[in-house]
Each structure stands twice: as C-alpha cells, then as structure tokens.
Amino acid sequence: MDKKVLLRVKKLKKYFPVKKNSVFQEQQYVKANDGITLDIFEGETVGLVGESGCGKSTFGRVLLQLYPQTAGATFYYGRSLEDIAPKYALKAIKNIKKDVESLEKNRSLRRKYKAEIEKIEDEKSLENAKKKFDIVDAKIDEYFDTTVKLVGGLVLCDDLNLVSKLMKIWYHEKGIMVHLQRKINLVKVHIDSDLNDNIKESVILKEKQNLKKYEIQYKTHESKLNDVLAEINKLKESLKNHKKFDKYEERMDTGLDLSRLSENEMRFLRTDLQIIFQDPYSSLNPRMTIGQLIGEALVTHGYYKGGSKKLADYVVEIMEKCGLQGYMIHRYPHEFSGGQRQRIGIARALALHPKFVVCDEAVSALDVSIQSQIINLLKDLREEQGFTYLFISHDLGVVKYISDRVGVMYLGNLVELAPTKQIFSSPSHPYTQALLAAIPTTDINKRVDLKPLDGDVPSPVNPPKGCKFHTRCEKCMAICKKDVPVWQEIDDNHFIACHLYNK
C-alpha cells in the first residue's frame, strides 16, 4: 500500500532582506532556504540535520507559514480544498480564460530562453537568461499547480466563461457552508458544556434555537451546491472524448497551498499544524498557569467552552499523557524544571491533536537523561495518535533514534534525503559523509581520527556558484564550480544533489 503524502514541498525559497546602507546599494538577501523539494508522508518522522545556520529551523517555520515563503509551493493534504474553500482558488477560477490563453505564450518563451542559455558563454548574460527562464517556468508551474489542480479537464472546454461562472458559484456556496459548519460546531460545544455545567435553561434554549437556524441555512446552500455540481458534471461528460481529458483530470488535486492562504484561513489550520520550540521557558507565557497555556488554543478554536469542567478535565488528561501530574494545573512555568517545561510545551502543541508537528531542537537544551525521556514520549505519542513529525536537530544520535528518514541540509539546500538506516550505513553525499565521520565513538573497531571539515561555511548572502559545498569538498570537480547539481532520485526513496551521481 502506497504511503499517503501529508505535505508536498516544491522549490521552496525563503530569503531575508539584508539592511542597506544606502538607497543606491543593490538589495541583498540571506538565502536561508534556496529551493527545497520533498514529500513528507503521514505518520512518519523526518529528521533534519546540518551545521548551525544551514536553514533547518527556518524551513520548519516556513512549512507552518510562521514565516511567509518567498517562492515555491507547500501543499497540505490533511484537509481538502472543500474544507477551507480558500480565496486564492476563487481568484484563480475567475482568471481561467486568461491563464489558459497565456499558457502557450509562456511555453514558447521557455523554449526560446532555453535555446539562448545553451548558446551564451558570457557569465553575466547567462545569469540574466536563466532568471528569465526561471520566471516563465514558474508561471507554467503555477498554471498546473493552481488552475489545472482546481478544475482538471474543464480547462479544455470551449466556453471557459461558463466554466468560470459555474466554478465561482460552487466556491461561493461552499465558502458559506464552511462558515456555517464552524458556527454549528461551536454552538454544539457550548450546548454540551452548558448542560454539563448546569447553566440556565434559557441560555441553553437560545443556543439550541441558533443551532436549528444554522442547520436550516446549511441545507439550503447545500442544495444550491448540488445543483451547480450537476451542471459541472454535464460539462465534463461533453469533454470525455478529448484526448487530453484524462491526463488533465489526473492532475486534479485537493491539496491546499499553504503559502497562498489568507491569515484567517491559515488560522483555522493551526489546529493541524503545530510546533514544539527549542527553548522550553521563553516559549511559555510566565503570567499564565499551565492549565491556561494548554487550554488557550482549545477555547480559541472552539473545542471547549472557556472555564468549563470538560475543558479542565481534558487539560488534566493531556498533562498526564505527557508525564505531568494533574494537580500541577494551576502552577506557573517558573515552578517547573527544564524537562517539565518541555513536557508542557509538548502538551500544549499536541492538545489539539495536530496532524503535523515541527520539533525544533526540542531536546537540545535538556540534559541527556531528560532528552531520552522526551524522545521516548514523542515516539509513544506518535504511535498512539498517528502524528507526523519534522524533527530538527544537530545531534545525529538523537535523529538516528527517532527518525524514519533523514534529510541533510547545507547552506539553505537539501543535499541528501534517504531512509535513516541508509543514511547512517552508506551515506552518499560528501557532506553527509563528513558529518558522520565527525561523530565521536567509543567503539575501538569503528573509531577513526575525527576530521573536521576544512574551511568555514560560506556566506548565505553570497553563496558559491554551482554546488555550494564545492569550496569544502575533497571530491570537487570542475562542473561543481559551475553548475548547480540537480535534485534526483538515485535509489528507491533516496534523493541527492551531487554531480558525482549525474545520470
């Protein structure tokens, strides 16, 4: 059985602008993430390693859109387009005709720029030509990642104005239904809590009336949605004999592009996407009790009514699962040890039953004995709840223990990604080999003289041309100084960016 993709990252970039000393100075950027592509599957732990400053933590935060990404796409499959009905989809639907018409023009330009690149020898001209090619290539990518993903074979329809009209109605009705469903869920939570806490009958009656009103409105819009869906299906039936129809239908995709969601839409998904921070003290508000810290998001997202007995009971349950005693619920962060504070951070992140959690150096600030407790806790919770983790660490031993796959980063790029066993038994990229060779060991048979990497890590503002690692690589070839290596699969589920493995 194939694994289900939870997150699909395509050519992700995150650049931070560098402060200019003069208005005449060219704007420079710290290229923290510089074109990262990978899939993260449901229920797995992906470890991410590399030297300090390589962009690991930035990548974790960009995945969660805590930092807006500069370029690329991050598709999330834990929810569908129907669950959110995002505004960016509606905007794309309005522009279907324009986007289809511009596709061939962009394809023609891409062929033209590709031919120019093959002929140019001057380095500056070559760089400019590549920039033009990348811009047009990104537009074509966006067409297939947005328009075709949304409407599939309908892009082949003769009357694109009709397609746009029907799809706009569909998304409009679906958006209203999504909003009403959230109201229905919230009222149900309130009624349930009020009955449990013996609230006045008049309050409960009013909330029941609101519930009935919202449910009637929901059914009305659901009926309209079904009518327009029938019209859309008729259009598809008239297109089925088109030679490209099946190909385009296969490209339909319910994944949400997180980078294009509005702030409110992304806020709704915060229940699915959580982070455990490195510092277990500064990430906790010292003015809030542990119960308030863990329960805050549960109330905000409508899981429980604030101050209800059910909320308190659930918070105690989560605390105990994370190794904290229930009687500690009214204590403040400063009353706990470092290991206990990290457990609080874990309880806060996992209370919402997220589907994906970024563990950003979650154990690096703890003693070794406490580290093992926290790691075992994370593993147990993953097995019980089916969480998916991105585990960021500079400690290769910890990563080896907890991860199913390991990604190795260098200066903003992934250079290798493979199953954990394969990375540690037969590393392929020279940088991965160097990292593993530097691990101290007490095993006499395996011990070698530690050989640190030569040279310093280059500046992320002005990284080396070609392969960024070539300035420190013992296996550097002439091509490494000139061309950026392609991210390619060299074995089953084993990816690498290195000219040594050019096909």
Side-chain angles (χ1 to χ4, degrees), residues 311-350:
L311 171 63
D313 290 344
Y314 179 71
V315 169
V316 168
E317 180 187 331
I318 287 293
M319 288 175 64
E320 289 176 348
K321 275 188 179 179
C322 293
L324 297 163
Q325 299 302 313
Y327 68 83
M328 299 175 174
I329 191 170
H330 299 299
R331 291 186 180 180
Y332 290 86
H334 71 270
E335 298 178 75
F336 294 87
S337 66
Q340 287 175 320
R341 285 198 290 264
Q342 194 60 285
R343 289 173 185 272
I344 295 165
I346 292 170
R348 181 178 61 174
L350 304 187

Side-chain angles (χ1 to χ4, degrees), residues 105-121:
K105 178 184 175 183
N106 286 325
R107 279 176 165 167
S108 176
L109 285 172
R110 184 168 65 175
R111 288 192 292 268
K112 175 186 172 184
Y113 295 145
K114 187 177 181 181
E116 286 179 4
I117 287 169
E118 291 171 355
K119 295 176 183 177
I120 295 172
E121 294 183 3

